[in-house]
Amino acid sequence: MILIPHFTRGEIRIAADVEHRSRSQSSKVATPRIILDELVWPRHEPVPALDLPVLEVIDFLAELGQRLAFDRNEHLQEALEHMAQFSTLDSRILENCYRDIASLFDRRAVIAEAEQSLGTLDVLDGWVAKNPLYPQCRIRAIPPRLVHVLAGNAPIVPPISIVRGAISKGVHLLKLPSNDMWTATAILRTMADIDPRHPTTRSFAAVYWKGGDAAIESALYRSQYFDKIVVWGGEAAVRHVLKYVGPGLEMLSFDPKVSISMIGCEAFASNAITVEVARRAAADVIGLNQDACSASRFHYVEGSVEQADAYCEKLVDAMGRDTRYGPGASNLLPPREVCEQLDMMHNLEPLFRLFGRYDGRGLVIRSEEPVSFSPSGKLVNVVRVASLEEAVHYSTVATQTVGVYPPARRLSLRNALASAGAQRIVALGEVNSGGFGGKPHDAGWPVHRFVRWVSEEGDDSCETLQ
Amino acid sequence: MSALQEIFSLLDVADPYRAAPAGLRDLQLEALRERFAEKRRQIPILARRAKETGIEEIRSLDDVVPLLFTHTNYKSYPESFVDKGQWANMNLWLQTLCSPPVRNVRLDGVRDADDWLARLAEAGHHLFASSGTSGKCSFLNQTSKDLDVADRAYQLSFDAQNQTFRAANDRPAFVFFPEHGVHRLCRPNAHFWHRIAAPGQLHFLSSEPLRASPGIRAGQLRRALAAGTALPDTIAAFEADNRARQRLMSAAMDDMIDRIYELRHERMVFGVMWPTAYQLVQALRTRGVKDGEFHPETVLFLGGGVKGVQLPDDFREQIRKFFGVSPRNYSNSYGMVEMTGLNPFIHHRQAYAMAPWIVPLILDKSGEKLLDPQATGGVVEGRMALFDLLTDARWGGLISGDRVEVDFRPTDEFSGPLVLSIARYADLEEGEDKLTCAGTIDSYVRGSIAA
C-alpha cells in the first residue's frame, strides 16, 4: 500500500483513510480522508498573500527554486522513486524533467511570467491608474480563488501551476491526477520546509480524489468558494467541470490539443540535411512518450513520394534514439485498433507505406491525406503535400504547436497558421526546449486570466456631503 | 469427416446448444486449426499478423490470441476512399480482410456506399454493415453460403430462446426493427417473423430499407466541421433533416403502439430491443394500460445492449411486470453482429448458453493473455474474445469490448459454456482520471453530428 501525502496550507498529512484503485497504478494507494472545510478559504477573510508585496513572493519562489535542486531535494527524490508506479514515463526522462523544475522558479522567469501577463507588477500590490482616457480610474489584479485540475502526463504542469498561482497571490486547490500524485506535493513540501507559515505556503492545498466524484466536486465547485476552475486538458475532465460552471464560477480550460510538424523541400538538399531534419523532428515526437499536447503526431512533408519515403526511413531511425525527454527503445505501441489499421494500410502499398516495426522504437505511416485516427505510441503520420502553404489547411482549432523546417519559413506561414487555430509556432526540434516565462499559453496569458480585474473609480477630492 | 464439418453438422440438429458432443473444446480447437491453415492463405491481414507474431500453427488456444481482430478492423478503411468515391480502393481494402477474391465488381455509376454494396452483392459478396457512433460504417463480407448458414444459425438461436413457442403463422407480430437493410439481423429476422405472423398481421417499424449512407454522410459532415470547412447553414440543414427523420420515426412508433393497444388482450409476439421495450411500456402506460393487461401467451423476443441510453435501474423488472406474461415468454440473448447466431438466455440457469460453433476465449482486461478457467474453479471473468467457426468469408477471431463472467464447468444439459454476466469496459471505465493534455479534434465537435 502506497500512502499519498495531502498538503493543506502548509500542513502535510499522511494516512491510509481512503483506498483508491485505478488503472494507472500497479499497486493500491491510500490517501487521508478529505476534510472539505480545509479546502476552502472563506471569502470574508482576505486571502493570505493579499498584502504580501509581489517582490517578496518572487524572492520566496527564487529560494524555493534553489531548494528544488534535484540532487539536494529529498521530496523530489522520493517522488521520483514512487512515480515509477504512477507514470508511464521512464525514470531517466522523469529525472530529467525533475531536474528542470528548479529553473522554472528562477527569478527572471517568474518576473517575465508576471510582467508579460499583467503589463506591470504594480497591479498586484495596489491600485494603479494608467488609463489616459479615465485618469481617475484605478485597477488592481485581485487575487483569485482557484481550483486547478492537474494533468499527470507532463511533470511541468504542477510547477508552472504553482508559479503562476503564487504570482496571482490567490488561493489554490490543486486536484491531483491519478497518474501523478507526487510532483505537486513534493514542491509544496519543499515550500513548507522553508516556511510553513509563509502566506504563499498557506495559499496552497494539493489533494487527491477520484475525478468526477460528485460528493466532493459538487460540494466544492461553487462560486461561494472559488472563482474559476482551471482544467488541464482531458475531455472527460472538462465535461465533469462544465456541470458546475454557472454565474460566478468560470472554467478556464487548457484544452486538449494536437501538435504537428511542417517539413519544407529544403530538407532534401542533401542526405545529411535530411538526417538532421529527421533527428530534430523525432525529438518533437517522442518527448514525454508522445503523450503530451505538444507532441507532434502529423508531419506534412513538401516533396516527392521518394523524398517523403527517405524522410520516413530516417525518422524511424531517429525515433529509436534517446533524446532528453524521449525514449529511443521503449514498450510504446499504438493501440490495437490503430495497429490493425496500420496492417491494412501496409497491405495497400503504394497508396500507403508503413515504416518501422512493432518494437517500441517507432513507426511511420506515409499517406496522401491525414489518417483519421490520432497517432500515438511513437507513431507519426507523414502526409505528403505539394506545399507547406497547402498543409496549413490541416491546421484546426485543436492545433497547438507547429514545428517548422527550415525555421525561416515560420515567417511566411505564421499568419495563416495562427488564423486557422494554431497557438505556438517554433523551429522544428524546439518543441520541448522553449523554456518557461513570459510567453502566452493556449492563446492567452494564464496569470492575466487567473486574477480578478477590479476597478476603483472617482477623483481624489474625497468630498463628503455635509 | 473434418472437425469443421462436424461443427457444421450441428446446424442440422434441432437444438445444437444442448446437443453438442462431449469434448467440444477439443473439437473446436481442431476446427480452429483447420480454419487457420485455410484462411492464412486467403486473407492478407491474417497472413501478415501470423508472420509477425511467428505463429505457424495453432497448437493451443493461446496461439489464437495474437491473431484476433478487433471489430474496428472492419471499419479501418481510409474515409477519403468513400468521401472521394474511390470504390476501387474500397475493393482493395475489402480484399485485405476477406477470403473470396474481390473481382468482377462493376463500379460504373456507383454514387454512394449503398450502391457499392449492391454491386458487391451482384458479384457474390454479401456485405453487412453497421454504423457506429463514429459515423464510420463497418463492412463485413459474407459468401452466399455464409448467408444460408447464418439464416439457419439464427433460426436455431431464436428457437432455443423459447423452448415451447413455435412459429405457425397464427398471430399478430410487432417488430421494432426495419424489415430490410444492411444490418446483419435484417435478413434472418425477416425469415423468422414471416413464419410467425398471421397473414396481414406482420408489422415492422419501417419498410424503408436501412441504408449505410446516412451514417456515412453524418461522418463526412463531422469531418468537414472538424476541418473547419463546413458552414453553419449546412449543419443547420443536417440537424433539421435529423429532426424530421426522428419525427417520422416517432409517428411510425405511435402507429405501432396504437395497434398494440387495440390488440392487447390477444396473444401477440414482439421483437424489440430492451430500450425500445421500455419506451413501449411508458407509451402504453400513458394510454392508460395497467400492469398485467396483456394476454398471458404473448411472447417477447428481447435483446440488444443499452449503450448510451438512460434507463432506470429496474427497467427489466418494470417491463416484465407490465406485460405480466410467464417468465419463459421473455426471450433474451447475447450476441454481436460479428458472430453468427445468438447465445440464448436460459431462464433456469440465469445465463446465456454459448453456441457450439463459437469458441469463447476469455482474456485479461488488456486483451493480451488467455485466462485459464480451471485456475479459478471453472468460472472466469475477463474480456470476451471469440472465434466464429462458421464464418467463411472472414477470419473468425474477434476481440470485443465486453467484460464477461463465463462458467466453463460442464453441465448435464449444455456442453458449451454459460455466460453469467456482461458489461462493457467502456462503461466501467467512466470517471477514470488519468489526465493528459493531449487531445483530438473530436473534442471540439458538438451537436447531433458529434461522434
Side-chain angles (χ1 to χ4, degrees), chain A residues 22 150 152 175 178-179 208 211 234-235 255-258 293 336-337 340-341 344 346-347 352 369 372 396, chain B residues 45 48-49 65 68-70 72-73 76 78-79 84 93 367 431-439 441 443-444:
Chain A
S22 158
L150 301 180
K175 190 248 169 258
S178 67
N179 47 341
Y208 176 76
E235 187 180 339
D255 288 332
K257 292 289 175 184
V258 188
C293 40
R336 190 171 185 135
E337 308 82 61
E340 289 186 342
Q341 297 221 25
M344 180 275 299
H346 197 158
N347 277 311
F352 300 90
E369 279 182 52
S372 56
T396 70
Chain B
I45 296 267
R48 180 180 300 280
R49 186 77 74 83
V65 178
L68 297 168
F69 291 177
T70 67
T72 51
N73 216 350
S76 67
E79 284 153 329
K84 296 184 174 168
W93 167 78
E432 288 269 2
D433 55 343
K434 181 180 171 179
L435 291 192
T436 86
C437 57
I441 187 71
S443 303
Y444 296 75

Side-chain angles (χ1 to χ4, degrees), chain B residues 88-350:
Chain B
N89 282 346
M90 281 301 282
N91 285 354
L92 286 177
W93 167 78
L94 180 63
Q95 184 68 84
T96 66
L97 285 163
C98 74
S99 49
V102 183
R103 283 197 298 254
N104 306 323
V105 183
R106 288 193 310 119
L107 293 174
D108 52 294
V110 169
R111 289 158 308 170
D112 60 18
D114 292 292
D115 287 351
W116 175 63
L117 292 174
R119 296 296 177 79
L120 282 165
E122 285 172 15
H125 304 280
H126 304 278
L127 276 64
F128 62 87
S130 65
S131 63
T133 47
S134 65
K136 208 175 180 188
C137 271
S138 306
F139 295 112
L140 293 88
N141 201 354
Q142 304 176 96
T143 62
S144 305
K145 190 184 164 217
D146 282 340
L147 279 186
D148 295 337
V149 165
D151 281 349
R152 175 68 186 156
Y154 279 100
Q155 180 58 52
L156 292 166
S157 326
F158 290 131
D159 286 349
Q161 287 179 42
N162 187 324
Q163 297 270 301
T164 49
F165 169 76
R166 286 297 171 260
N169 286 119
D170 61 352
R171 60 186 82 189
F174 293 90
V175 191
F176 292 80
F177 208 72
E179 185 173 10
H180 309 286
V182 295
H183 193 280
R184 180 173 202 170
L185 271 172
C186 288
R187 187 180 142 124
N189 238 350
H191 285 203
F192 178 63
W193 291 102
H194 277 282
R195 291 190 303 115
I196 288 180
Q201 302 223 55
L202 177 55
H203 309 282
F204 283 94
L205 185 57
S206 163
S207 53
E208 274 286 295
L210 186 68
R211 289 155 43 84
S213 310
I216 290 174
R217 171 76 189 127
Q220 287 168 335
L221 200 53
R222 178 170 55 80
R223 284 192 302 286
L225 182 60
T229 53
L231 292 172
D233 269 338
T234 315
I235 308 291
F238 174 81
E239 297 198 321
D241 273 357
N242 261 355
R243 283 193 297 272
R245 206 170 33 244
Q246 272 160 12
R247 273 196 301 273
L248 275 180
M249 197 61 99
S250 25
M253 180 91 179
D254 281 345
D255 188 47
M256 288 269 267
I257 291 164
D258 289 342
R259 289 165 197 260
I260 291 167
Y261 177 81
E262 294 299 325
L263 295 172
R264 66 190 182 283
H265 303 300
E266 289 182 32
R267 44 175 211 172
M268 291 182 278
V269 189
F270 297 117
V272 58
M273 301 289 189
W274 283 105
T276 317
Y278 185 69
Q279 243 182 300
L280 175 62
V281 168
Q282 285 178 307
L284 287 165
R285 275 182 182 156
T286 59
R287 284 168 169 76
V289 181
K290 301 275 177 295
D291 284 0
E293 278 188 37
F294 280 80
H295 191 286
E297 281 175 49
T298 283
V299 171
L300 292 96
F301 284 87
L302 293 147
V306 292
K307 143 170 117 177
V309 193
Q310 288 292 323
L311 291 168
D313 289 341
D314 65 341
F315 73 96
R316 286 193 175 84
E317 286 69 40
Q318 287 197 41
I319 292 167
R320 289 198 188 97
K321 217 171 136 212
F322 182 77
F323 288 101
V325 300
S326 148
R328 65 180 156 74
N329 282 351
Y330 296 101
S331 298
N332 191 10
S333 62
Y334 171 48
M336 45 191 107
V337 291
E338 296 88 347
M339 79 164 103
T340 308
L342 302 163
N343 306 295
F345 186 72
I346 308 300
H347 285 282
H348 65 275
R349 309 285 314 204
Q350 288 294 301

